[in-house]
Amino acid sequence: MLASVPAAEASLPAAAVAPTHATLSWDGAPVHTLVVPAGARVRPVARRPGRTVPAWRAATGAIAAINGGYFNHSDGWPVSHVVVDGEALTAPHENKALRANPVLAPHLPRIFGRRTTWIDTPDGWRLAPWNAKPAGWRAALQAGPALLPEIGLEAEAFVIRGKGGAIARDGIASGARAPRSALGLRPDGAMVWAVVGSPGLAIPQLATLMARLGCDRAMGLDGGGSSTLVWTENGRPRVYVGGGGAAALVNSALVVEP
């Protein structure tokens, strides 16, 4: 679904470092991409209850936005860390439903500590496990799994295997086609956002897509109904919802400030 937002939100400031939007098709799925140049002002935002990505864009005055980390759809409680300037905007370790899940309880150290995180540092953007954030970092948004240089489904406890090696849980249906969002970093320092629409891609297909988009590091963001991209076109915000229909409430997002 591609639609302009209401006229009341139509006036946007010019960007000093403007992201570049493009569309393509990959393995039979529509893809909207945004290349955010190195030096652009990017920050994570989060709150419970959530907002739609277009509402996050409007609330922050941003010129672009994409959905962020994971959360409970039942109560909006976060599953992913989001921190800005030392302030924790989400507290996934306080997620009672997550802690009470007997399948996930033994894997909480990986869920909280190993899942891949976008990190803003004085030397540029980085992707690393939450517990391996580099010194001097200023902001971080956790999601996952890692897509490049290799896929981190089991290392980050998205896929959990039982006795005999059979998959006991796949929290993001990684082998099935579904609308998905991803974030990648290119060797030139730019960041690439991608939202894949229905019928979507499986995680291995998404990893290949991000490599073809020039990324050498990449991570997944929340997918399904959350997958939403907002960008500026001819001075007006435009919205793509990967699952079609109206944009869903999300617990967190990344925004590009003018």
Side-chain angles (χ1 to χ4, degrees), residues 23-225:
T23 61
L24 64 141
S25 178
W26 186 257
D27 279 4
V31 181
H32 283 252
T33 68
L34 199 73
V35 177
V36 182
R41 295 174 56 184
V42 179
R43 69 180 175 97
V45 291
R47 76 166 191 172
R48 176 179 172 268
R51 291 181 168 125
T52 65
V53 176
W56 279 119
R57 198 287 310 163
T60 59
I63 57 173
I66 192 171
N67 63 287
Y70 296 92
F71 58 95
N72 297 346
H73 287 279
S74 58
D75 57 11
W77 203 271
V79 179
S80 301
H81 293 280
V82 181
V83 176
V84 177
D85 294 331
E87 178 185 0
L89 303 185
T90 63
H93 56 281
E94 297 177 3
N95 188 323
K96 294 180 180 179
L98 185 62
R99 288 188 171 277
N101 187 317
V103 175
L104 295 179
H107 307 282
L108 291 180
R110 282 189 289 160
I111 292 173
F112 294 148
R114 292 286 302 278
R115 288 190 170 176
T116 303
T117 305
W118 171 87
I119 306 160
D120 184 21
T121 80
D123 297 324
W125 301 313
R126 300 285 185 269
L127 298 184
W130 172 259
N131 285 343
K133 299 183 297 300
W137 65 280
R138 300 176 293 199
L141 183 146
Q142 184 190 45
L147 300 173
L148 297 171
E150 58 185 22
I151 297 173
L153 287 166
E154 294 188 45
E156 300 176 38
F158 286 98
V159 169
I160 296 172
R161 295 188 181 273
K163 294 181 179 180
I167 294 177
R169 186 180 188 277
D170 185 346
I172 56 173
S174 61
R177 295 177 73 110
R180 301 190 189 271
S181 298
L183 178 162
L185 299 179
R186 299 191 322 202
D188 63 2
M191 177 164 45
V192 179
W193 293 351
V195 168
V196 181
S198 185
L201 298 175
I203 289 296
Q205 293 172 299
L206 184 62
T208 302
L209 167 66
M210 297 308 290
R212 291 297 180 91
L213 291 173
C215 302
D216 58 357
R217 293 156 290 161
M219 62 184 279
L221 301 171
D222 192 13

